[in-house]
Amino acid sequence: MLKKLIKPIFAASLLFPVISSADVVTSKDLVANVQSQMNSIGTSELVKLLEKEPNIKVIDVRNKSDILAQGGYIKTNNLDFISRDKLEFMIEDSVKPEDKFVVYCYTGNISLLAAKQLKDMGYKNVIHYKDSYKGWSEANQKISSLDFYLESPLYNKLKKVSEGVYTSIGATQPPRYENNGHNNNLGFIEGKDFGVVWNASGNYMLAKALHEEIKKISNKPIKYVVLENSQSHAMLGSNYWKEQGATIIAHEISKKELAGDGEAILKRHTRIMKDKIVGTKIVLPDETFKDKMVLDLGNKKIELLYFGHAHEYDDIALWMPNEKILFAGDLAFHQRMLPIFKITDTAHWIELWDEIEALDAKIVIPGHGDVTDMPTVTKYTKGYLEHMRAKIEEVLDNDGGLADAYKVDQDAYRHLDTYKELAVQNASILFEQMEFE
Ligand SMILES: [Zn+2]
C-alpha cells in the first residue's frame, strides 16, 4: 500500500522527474531538468535588470554562516535574506505573488531549486540568477560584506564610536523575522558607575542579546534605558530592561502613545516575529520629560533633547556635549530614505534642523544606517525635505493634482534604501498636507 502511494506523490512533486522505484535521480540530472523549466539570467542580464529596476527585490537564500564564509552578498537596494530552509514559510512576508523578483545563492544550484519551489507555489515571476554570488563577485560587481553577527540575534556587533560610546547598527529593511526585528540603531554609553542604553530594542530577545554584548565590554549595571520615540523598535524590549532594574526614560508624549497603542503595536509585531517575540510585554516609561533632561554619568554628560513635532510627535535625540556625539534617532536620515507619515510635520522638521545643526555634532548616529556626520544627514534629511516641499509647491502652483505629485523628480535619492517603498508615498502624503497649508 505504501509503495503504491509513493509514486504519485513523487510525480506530483514537480521537482523530481518521474522515476521508477529502482532509479535515483542524480543531482546533475535534477538540476538540468529544473533548469529547462526556469527563467534564469546571467550576470550581465542581472546588471541590466538592476539598472532598469534598481529596486527590484533580490533574495539571497544562503544562511548567515555561508554568507560570511563566502565573503558577502550582492549590494543592491532591495535585498532580503531568507535562508533556504525557511523559504516556504517566510516568502509571503517578502514578496507578493505577482511580484517580479530575483533569487540567488552561491553557485546557483540551491537557488535554482528554491526558485522552482517558489514557482510551484504560485510565484510565477520568479527569476533565477544562475551565476549567483560566486559569478557576481568574480565579475567584480558591487558586493557588501557588512559583518552579520553570527553568535547573536543582533544584526551587527556593538561598534565603538568613541571612548565608552557604542552602537549596534540594525538592518535598513523593515522589521522581519529574518533580521529578528533589529532594524534600527541601538546604543550603549558607559558611565563611571553605571551604563545607559539608547533604545530598548524591538523585543525581549534582542534586548537580552544587546545586554549580553554589553557585558562583554563593561561590568557596569544598566541604570537608564532611553527610548527615542514610541515606535516598536525603540520600546518593545523595555520589559527586559525593567527586569534588570533599569529605569525607562522617554518623552512624555511617548508615554501617552504607549498607553494608547502599545498593545496594538505588540500584536502587530507578534504576527511578524512569531516565536521570536516570546517574553515581550508592554511596559510604560518610568520617567518622562518635556524639553530636556540631563543625566550625569560621572565621567560623561548626556542631554536628552526634544525639538518638537517632526517625523513623529515624540522624537528625541541624545546629545553628548563634551564628546560632540549625537544619537539623532529618527530626526536624521542618510542611508535610508526618510518616511513622511500622515503625522509628520515637514515644515517644522526643516525649521528645527537649525537647532540640531547648531549643536555642531562631530559624530551622528542616525536612527537607521551607519554612523555618519552632520553634512551627510543634513543633505538627506533637511535637503530632501526642502527638495520635496519645493517640488510639491511647484505642482500646486501649476494647479496640478495628486497624479503630478507622484511624478515629482526624486532621482537624486533613488539610491537610498527603501526608496521604492517610500518615494511615491512621501510625495502623495506631502501633497495632501501642503494642499491645506
Ligand atoms: Zn525609526
Side-chain angles (χ1 to χ4, degrees), residues 184 228-229 231 233 311 330 333 367-368:
N184 66 328
E228 69 168 74
N229 55 28
Q231 288 187 344
H233 49 225
H311 145 279
D330 281 344
F333 284 80
H368 306 269

Side-chain angles (χ1 to χ4, degrees), residues 337-388:
M337 174 166 268
L338 69 82
I340 299 176
F341 302 126
K342 286 208 167 88
I343 58 159
T344 302
D345 186 338
T346 56
H348 194 239
W349 199 347
I350 293 171
E351 243 177 82
L352 64 80
W353 197 263
D354 290 344
E355 281 175 65
I356 295 177
E357 258 190 313
L359 295 170
D360 195 26
K362 295 292 172 255
I363 299 172
V364 177
I365 298 134
H368 306 269
D370 218 339
V371 178
T372 184
D373 55 22
M374 207 56 214
T376 307
V377 285
T378 299
K379 181 174 172 189
Y380 291 107
T381 310
K382 186 188 179 194
Y384 175 69
L385 290 167
E386 283 179 338
H387 170 82
M388 289 301 285

Side-chain angles (χ1 to χ4, degrees), residues 419-435:
Y419 168 88
K420 185 190 176 193
E421 286 92 338
L422 293 173
V424 170
Q425 179 188 308
N426 283 352
S428 75
I429 292 176
L430 191 57
F431 176 83
E432 279 163 5
Q433 288 176 347
M434 288 178 69
E435 240 186 330

Side-chain angles (χ1 to χ4, degrees), residues 148-203:
F148 282 118
Y149 199 16
L150 268 184
E151 300 88 47
S152 164
L154 291 176
Y155 196 72
N156 278 293
K157 286 182 194 190
L158 271 176
K159 120 173 174 181
K160 189 170 174 180
V161 178
S162 167
E163 205 46 54
V165 184
Y166 301 83
T167 182
S168 172
I169 307 287
T172 51
Q173 300 131 350
R176 298 249 169 77
Y177 187 84
E178 277 293 303
N179 58 36
N180 299 323
H182 185 195
N183 74 326
N184 66 328
N185 297 344
L186 311 171
F188 167 65
I189 300 157
E190 186 180 43
K192 192 168 155 286
D193 303 313
F194 60 86
V196 175
V197 164
W198 171 248
N199 284 330
S201 89
N203 52 62

Side-chain angles (χ1 to χ4, degrees), residues 217-410:
I217 49 175
S218 168
N219 55 8
K220 311 277 160 67
I222 304 301
K223 188 168 180 187
Y224 299 111
V225 174
V226 180
L227 313 183
E228 69 168 74
N229 55 28
S230 52
Q231 288 187 344
S232 58
H233 49 225
M235 62 82 178
L236 279 175
S238 294
N239 71 309
Y240 170 80
W241 297 108
K242 280 227 61 141
E243 286 178 13
Q244 314 308 310
T247 298
I248 315 289
I249 301 175
H251 191 263
E252 57 182 26
I253 300 173
S254 301
K255 186 172 182 176
K256 251 183 247 158
E257 298 266 333
L258 282 177
D261 293 339
E263 293 296 339
I265 294 172
L266 176 57
K267 219 170 156 186
R268 208 163 58 232
H269 274 259
T270 304
R271 281 199 293 272
I272 304 171
M273 289 304 146
K274 302 178 172 81
D275 53 304
K276 293 182 178 175
I277 199 113
V278 168
T280 307
K281 289 190 194 96
I282 296 295
V283 295
L284 295 183
D286 303 295
E287 281 183 35
T288 62
F289 69 99
K290 197 175 159 99
D291 297 318
K292 183 175 174 177
M293 184 184 248
V294 178
L295 301 175
D296 185 357
L297 278 67
N299 56 357
K300 295 180 182 72
K301 199 175 125 185
I302 284 177
E303 295 176 5
L304 305 178
L305 304 174
Y306 180 64
F307 298 94
H309 183 187
H311 145 279
E312 294 257 352
Y313 292 111
D314 57 341
D315 304 298
I316 61 163
L318 184 156
W319 171 233
M320 304 182 68
N322 300 325
E323 294 80 1
K324 295 210 163 289
I325 297 171
L326 182 69
F327 283 83
D330 281 344
L331 288 167
F333 284 80
H334 71 116
Q335 228 165 296
R336 227 179 96 157
M337 174 166 268
L338 69 82
I340 299 176
F341 302 126
K342 286 208 167 88
I343 58 159
T344 302
D345 186 338
T346 56
H348 194 239
W349 199 347
I350 293 171
E351 243 177 82
L352 64 80
W353 197 263
D354 290 344
E355 281 175 65
I356 295 177
E357 258 190 313
L359 295 170
D360 195 26
K362 295 292 172 255
I363 299 172
V364 177
I365 298 134
H368 306 269
D370 218 339
V371 178
T372 184
D373 55 22
M374 207 56 214
T376 307
V377 285
T378 299
K379 181 174 172 189
Y380 291 107
T381 310
K382 186 188 179 194
Y384 175 69
L385 290 167
E386 283 179 338
H387 170 82
M388 289 301 285
R389 287 188 60 90
K391 287 286 170 196
I392 299 292
E393 190 131 12
E394 253 172 53
V395 172
L396 289 165
D397 285 348
N398 296 324
D399 289 326
L402 194 55
D404 305 294
Y406 285 153
K407 286 181 256 165
V408 301
D409 176 22
Q410 301 190 45

